[in-house]
Amino acid sequence: MTAFLIIAVLVLVAIAIWQMTKIFELSQIKADNSQIANDKDNKYNGYLLFAFLIFIYGITIFSFWKYTKVLLPEAASEHGAEYDSLMLWSFVIIFIVQTLTQALLHYFGFKYRGEKGKKALFYADNDRLEFIWTIIPVIVLAGLILWGLYTWTTIMDINDDDDPVVVELYAQQFNWTARYAGGDNVLGDANVRMIDIDRANVLGLDEADPNAADDIIVKELHLPVGRKVNFKMRSQDVLHSAYMPHFRAQMNCVPGMITEFSYTPIYTTEEMRQNPDVVDKVKRTNAIRAKRAAKGEDNSDPWEFDYILLCNKICGKSHYNMQMKIIVESEEDYNKWLAEQQTFGKTMMASAE
Ligand SMILES: [Cu+2]
């Protein structure tokens, strides 16, 4: 790949030098006018325009065929479908408009190519035409913006009604920690100044706050299916972004403040593993891994699908590996798992001994 890029750059530099010498030659006044475009040249360039049009349409079709399968599978959250249709319709509109305008642009480029004796028509203005090409984009764009704002307000519903699970996501270079609010479903106060690694107070919880004692700090996110989860994000050092692609969720984690996002997972991890898109993706990935393993390039085990929390803000050298596994399960399994975790109060007691 690097060799290819170097060759490409060298070729482009060579072309640039060649073109510059041509310009230099043109600047020398000569009797010979072989460098001035004639009808034949203009026609030839007109055909090249068509060739380019075919090229961009071809590469578009190729990309659809080749890369559609690497898109995310069906959304696994309640709001996800709405988000996806907003995205899809924006793309459909952009796609149609760009396909038509590109065709017209190249066609007119060809039709009105330079020709001996051909004169351009001077056309001052046409109010009706200008009105049409202003009002149509205005209506379409206003529609998209209103729909987007409506979707945004629905998604950003972070109220505490309907008994949501309250979870804190704590970002630091380069890992995630999650904190559950415990029995009272209220997160205890926390501040980076109170972090005490020696005593395992990794999130800086306020030991004097009674709400903190039952908080549960974990390194793997478990969520009950069908129940709303309210995330409260914090960052210890720099800007991070909590990105949960399968749930169509992302929110920046900003040092010094708490940001929020909430969603309701609708498929358990097990259910998502049965999703045809996911089955297909796992199959393809494992085929590639097997091929690499046969060549001795890869010795990792077959991959299994899991929901994932990633950092989506370049935050330092190990940003690419800043992730946490998410497991969506039945409320029963979730409660069982939660009951097995140690509370912050107990951790503090153990460290005091
Ligand atoms: Cu990060």
Side-chain angles (χ1 to χ4, degrees):
M1 193 64 194
T2 322
F4 171 75
L5 284 174
I6 291 170
I7 292 169
V9 167
L10 288 176
V11 169
L12 288 172
V13 168
I15 292 174
I17 293 171
W18 174 48
Q19 290 293 334
M20 281 192 286
T21 52
K22 261 175 87 178
I23 292 169
F24 182 73
E25 269 174 31
L26 273 175
S27 67
Q28 314 292 310
I29 302 159
K30 278 191 225 157
D32 144 56
N33 60 359
S34 66
Q35 294 285 339
I36 296 169
N38 56 31
D39 284 2
K40 209 177 118 202
D41 296 331
N42 288 332
K43 202 165 190 177
Y44 178 67
N45 276 303
Y47 288 135
L48 280 181
L49 274 183
F50 275 123
F52 182 69
L53 187 65
I54 290 166
F55 169 73
I56 56 171
Y57 283 174
I59 209 157
T60 308
I61 293 166
F62 173 78
S63 303
F64 270 119
W65 168 73
K66 175 101 180 157
Y67 298 113
T68 311
K69 53 181 179 255
V70 302
L71 295 177
L72 284 170
E74 184 191 344
S77 61
E78 223 162 59
H79 74 266
E82 207 178 332
Y83 176 105
D84 282 352
S85 56
L86 177 63
M87 185 87 163
L88 178 73
W89 280 104
S90 306
F91 271 141
V92 166
I93 292 168
I94 292 167
F95 183 77
I96 293 171
V97 171
Q98 95 90 29
T99 306
L100 286 175
T101 49
Q102 287 301 319
L104 289 173
L105 179 70
H106 287 79
Y107 170 71
F108 285 124
F110 170 77
K111 188 168 191 286
Y112 298 112
R113 65 190 180 274
E115 229 172 309
K116 233 188 174 112
K118 201 187 234 177
K119 253 188 160 180
L121 171 72
F122 179 71
Y123 201 74
D125 56 53
N126 182 324
D127 289 346
R128 182 183 286 180
L129 209 55
E130 279 179 34
F131 178 77
I132 291 172
W133 73 48
T134 306
I135 204 75
I136 293 176
V138 164
I139 292 170
V140 174
L141 288 176
L144 277 180
I145 290 167
L146 286 176
W147 186 15
L149 284 175
Y150 171 78
T151 310
W152 174 252
T153 20
T154 336
I155 291 174
M156 288 311 289
D157 171 24
I158 45 171
N159 65 55
D160 284 342
D161 306 342
D162 313 323
D163 184 32
V165 180
V166 177
V167 183
E168 175 181 75
L169 290 179
Y170 186 79
Q172 70 186 108
Q173 289 170 319
F174 296 96
N175 62 72
W176 295 100
T177 310
R179 173 160 66 116
Y180 289 79
D184 57 2
N185 213 15
V186 178
L187 288 163
D189 287 340
N191 191 303
V192 282
R193 289 190 183 84
M194 290 186 266
I195 289 175
D196 188 346
I197 301 292
D198 296 335
R199 298 186 53 236
N201 189 359
V202 287
L203 300 187
L205 267 60
D206 183 358
E207 289 174 60
D209 183 357
N211 290 327
D214 65 347
D215 287 4
I216 293 162
I217 297 169
V218 290
K219 279 294 191 183
E220 191 175 80
L221 197 57
H222 283 242
L223 303 175
V225 70
R227 198 160 146 208
K228 189 169 154 187
V229 189
N230 275 9
F231 292 99
K232 320 256 175 201
M233 285 91 162
R234 277 200 300 150
S235 166
Q236 179 174 314
D237 32 45
V238 297
L239 272 183
H240 297 273
S241 194
Y243 179 42
M244 296 170 263
H246 303 103
F247 305 100
R248 310 296 190 264
Q250 175 166 309
M251 183 52 70
N252 278 358
C253 308
V254 187
M257 68 184 284
I258 296 169
T259 49
E260 293 178 85
F261 197 91
S262 110
Y263 65 76
T264 309
I266 51 171
Y267 299 125
T268 63
T269 299
E270 279 311 320
E271 281 165 350
M272 202 61 178
R273 282 177 182 165
Q274 310 301 319
N275 180 294
D277 289 348
V278 173
V279 170
D280 196 48
K281 206 174 189 125
V282 170
K283 232 187 251 167
R284 269 185 292 115
T285 309
N286 284 333
I288 295 168
R289 285 195 174 191
K291 236 186 241 171
R292 282 193 196 145
K295 281 197 246 166
E297 289 169 2
D298 192 345
N299 54 6
S300 48
D301 298 329
W303 176 60
E304 193 169 34
F305 171 83
D306 265 308
Y307 291 124
I308 198 165
L309 161 69
L310 296 164
C311 179
N312 206 11
K313 191 125 294 180
I314 299 176
C315 58
K317 65 178 194 287
S318 293
H319 156 74
Y320 73 95
N321 202 26
M322 185 170 161
Q323 50 179 277
M324 184 160 72
K325 187 166 145 183
I326 305 174
I327 294 163
V328 179
E329 55 202 355
S330 67
E331 181 116 29
E332 199 187 346
D333 288 347
Y334 163 76
N335 287 331
K336 211 172 109 200
W337 171 81
L338 201 61
E340 286 164 6
Q341 309 305 313
Q342 200 174 40
T343 59
F344 176 70
K346 282 207 182 117
T347 312
M348 285 300 102
M349 263 175 351
S351 77
E353 277 163 16

